[in-house]
Amino acid sequence: MTPWKPFAAAFALAAATIAAPAATAAYPDQPIKIVVPYTAGGSSDVIARAISDELSAELGQSVIVENRAGAGSMIGTAYVANEKADGYTLLLADVPFTIVPALYGDRIKYKPQADFTAVSLLGVSPMYLFVNPAFPAKSVKELVDMALAKPGSISIGSGGNGSLTHLMAALFMLNTGIKLVHIPYKGASASVNDLAGGQIDASFTTMPTATALYQAGRVRPLAVSSPQRQQESPDVPTFDEAGVANMTVQSWWGLVAPARTPAPVLEKLNAAMAKVMQSPKVVGRLNSVGVNLPSDTSAAALQKLLAADFTRWDEVVKRAGITFE
């Protein structure tokens, strides 16, 4: 080796070392993409578009929302997992993010707990247990008593096998020791419509899905899965108040990035999102689709929620014996 080659190699290494922090410090210097793993128009899409303009203003770069739907959120999620961990491709995650691995295990093409890191918790929405107005039970206790007296005599609809509404029904049965007849539908709206029509006895869903029917008196809520009673339904008790523990579960939405995204980039995103989530415009848009702003929207809050949900749904799926081919 000629004398200058070691110095050239050392210089190149030093230059690369200096260039990496410099590139990170310049973040962002190109448009950022938020991938929504569903078609346009749904709650996740609305939330992504609600935060994109404000995040763009905070970071000084365009923030583009891209819909990559399919396979119950798995296509879009796998896409982001395989993107470069540089802060330019983010994922708008929701409850299926933590349910899918419990249902499909190693058959999915990514590992949610290893391939992603939290950026910000965006919103939460509790689940309600609704019954048909003609249903005899006027409380959760009365429903449980009826189901214990006649196992398999009460039907409960859901938005489909493996959906949050299905797993909520499974969790409810596990926590009360009752046996209900699960009727899966193609979407929560279809389930609630049949509930109003008297084809089924009960169904879990969010208030936004059932608002029109609830206001018209065509469905009746027995309990809500939030820690406290909700402003839009102050007479509806929480499950804890109704005597059923371990039912404090909320639908949620969060922003996550590929794992190994540099810490300085995450810090910039965290700081920007903290300001975005204080925007009255963003809060108003979220509230318009029935999504509540959490008291803590930090990355740590989302990470804590994710850890709890991964554990919860894995246990529910195993205990309830839910299997998918």
Side-chain angles (χ1 to χ4, degrees):
M1 180 179 288
T2 56
W4 60 268
K5 283 188 177 180
F7 294 102
F11 178 78
L13 178 61
T17 304
I18 295 169
T24 298
Y27 175 86
D29 60 4
Q30 65 189 63
I32 296 165
K33 181 164 56 181
I34 297 177
V35 173
V36 176
Y38 307 103
T39 55
S43 56
S44 293
D45 184 67
V46 169
I47 293 170
R49 296 179 192 281
I51 67 172
S52 61
D53 286 347
E54 298 291 328
L55 184 58
S56 175
E58 287 295 331
L59 294 176
Q61 282 290 339
S62 297
V63 177
I64 302 161
V65 176
E66 180 178 296
N67 299 90
R68 285 182 173 263
S73 79
M74 287 186 275
I75 288 177
T77 304
Y79 168 79
V80 177
N82 291 315
E83 284 291 278
K84 189 176 180 181
D86 55 8
Y88 290 102
T89 305
L90 309 173
L91 176 72
L92 199 295
D94 65 345
V95 177
F97 185 79
T98 53
I99 290 178
V100 163
L103 294 172
Y104 296 100
D106 294 337
R107 286 173 288 174
I108 58 177
K109 297 179 179 179
Y110 57 90
K111 292 180 169 46
Q113 297 187 68
D115 292 345
F116 293 92
T117 187
V119 173
S120 177
L121 179 59
L122 306 177
V124 294
S125 185
M127 304 294 291
Y128 285 79
L129 174 59
F130 286 97
V131 295
N132 181 274
F135 189 68
K138 305 301 180 186
S139 67
V140 170
K141 183 180 184 306
E142 290 182 8
L143 184 155
V144 170
D145 288 344
M146 286 176 59
L148 289 172
K150 293 183 178 180
S153 63
I154 299 171
S155 58
I156 186 162
S158 78
N161 287 318
S163 65
L164 174 59
T165 49
H166 175 199
L167 267 62
M168 285 295 293
L171 181 63
F172 182 53
M173 287 187 268
L174 289 169
N175 288 338
T176 56
I178 62 176
K179 178 64 177 176
L180 307 176
V181 179
H182 174 230
I183 310 294
Y185 287 81
K186 291 183 178 180
S189 294
S191 174
V192 177
N193 286 337
D194 261 16
L195 175 63
Q199 282 78 28
I200 55 176
D201 299 313
S203 185
F204 277 95
T205 195
T206 58
M207 183 57 80
T209 301
T211 294
L213 294 170
Y214 169 60
Q215 292 177 344
R218 297 182 60 196
V219 294
R220 176 163 48 88
L222 294 184
V224 63
S225 69
S226 52
Q228 298 88 27
R229 295 193 184 201
Q230 296 295 290
Q231 186 175 354
E232 70 265 27
S233 56
D235 295 332
V236 180
T238 66
F239 275 96
D240 279 344
E241 291 174 328
V244 182
N246 193 33
M247 289 292 293
T248 302
V249 181
Q250 302 207 72
S251 191
W252 58 266
W253 294 263
L255 196 63
V256 299
R260 297 175 299 281
T261 298
V265 170
L266 289 174
E267 288 167 7
K268 282 193 175 183
L269 283 169
N270 297 155
M273 284 305 303
K275 294 180 180 178
V276 167
M277 297 312 296
Q278 293 175 5
S279 163
K281 181 180 176 182
V282 169
V283 174
R285 192 72 186 94
L286 267 58
N287 289 342
S288 74
V289 292
V291 176
N292 302 322
L293 184 71
S295 57
D296 185 356
T297 63
S298 67
L302 176 57
Q303 196 63 53
K304 181 179 179 181
L305 184 153
L306 291 174
D309 257 23
F310 280 125
T311 300
R312 174 190 289 120
W313 299 130
D314 187 61
E315 290 177 351
V316 169
V317 167
K318 287 177 180 175
R319 289 177 62 198
I322 299 171
T323 58
F324 282 169
E325 295 299 326

